[in-house]
Amino acid sequence: GTDFANPRTDVVVPGTQVTFTDLDTNKQETVQIFGAWDGDPDRNLLSYLSPLAQALVNKAPGQEAELVSGDNRRRVRVDAIAPGDTSLVIPAAS
């Protein structure tokens, strides 16, 4: 399994909690980005392979990203990055 303890928080990486604002609606959202099999959108947990996570990875606070889903486009701004809540991730079997 991947150890998400002590992730860097200067940019979005797996293991972080990201707060971002949709620049078209001014709505703020918070998600946590973890490993390939950790996605649970109902709990705002995203796999780093998801399109939203891919758009946010390596962005720093204040930077913008464009989220594309089919014909829909959203512009978002990263507002804050913090360590994710690793208790929400199911540990990998050894």
Side-chain angles (χ1 to χ4, degrees):
T2 303
D3 181 5
F4 295 110
N6 303 313
R8 59 187 287 195
T9 56
D10 58 327
V11 295
V12 177
V13 295
T16 56
Q17 175 177 288
V18 185
T19 301
F20 62 93
T21 299
D22 183 311
L23 296 174
D24 297 322
T25 64
N26 211 33
K27 180 182 174 194
Q28 196 171 61
E29 297 179 49
T30 299
V31 297
Q32 297 191 64
I33 300 173
F34 288 109
W37 293 275
D38 296 320
D40 185 349
D42 292 336
R43 297 185 335 167
N44 293 326
L45 300 177
L46 302 179
S47 159
Y48 72 90
L49 298 173
S50 72
L52 173 56
Q54 286 290 298
L56 296 173
V57 165
N58 292 320
K59 299 286 192 251
Q63 287 189 305
E64 295 180 10
E66 183 173 63
L67 313 179
V68 179
S69 176
D71 291 336
N72 296 328
R73 294 181 184 276
R74 284 173 55 191
R75 290 179 321 116
V76 300
R77 180 191 61 238
V78 174
D79 296 323
I81 304 168
D85 182 354
T86 57
S87 71
L88 299 174
V89 180
I90 300 171
S94 351

